Amino acid sequence: MRRCTKLDWVHQIERLLLEFYPEAEKVRLVMDNLNTHNMGSLCEAFCAEKARSLAKRLEIH
């Protein structure tokens, strides 16, 4: 089984928002509650400004 890290997750989120949906104001994600899948992971991986910019476009369920 492949193991995914916080960095794997944040880079997928970055790609989702910047490459696949660059014009979307909000992207609604329905995910499991794995501890790496949270906004704090964005803050750990990116500078505060970039993390905030990505996070404000996400709606996580």
Side-chain angles (χ1 to χ4, degrees):
M1 181 175 194
R2 184 173 176 265
R3 186 164 188 231
C4 293
T5 66
K6 288 180 184 183
L7 282 179
D8 294 327
W9 185 77
V10 296
H11 290 296
Q12 286 298 329
I13 294 299
E14 178 183 36
R15 186 171 180 217
L16 177 78
L17 294 173
L18 300 180
E19 291 180 32
F20 295 119
Y21 299 102
E23 302 298 320
E25 288 182 33
K26 283 279 184 193
V27 174
R28 201 171 282 136
L29 296 176
V30 178
M31 307 184 313
D32 61 20
N33 62 350
L34 189 64
N35 63 347
T36 60
H37 297 168
N38 61 56
M39 298 298 191
S41 297
L42 293 171
C43 295
E44 289 179 34
F46 301 121
C47 69
E49 184 178 331
K50 183 170 185 171
R52 222 178 352 267
S53 171
L54 294 172
K56 76 178 186 180
R57 294 182 54 214
L58 287 175
E59 183 179 318
I60 296 178
H61 296 275

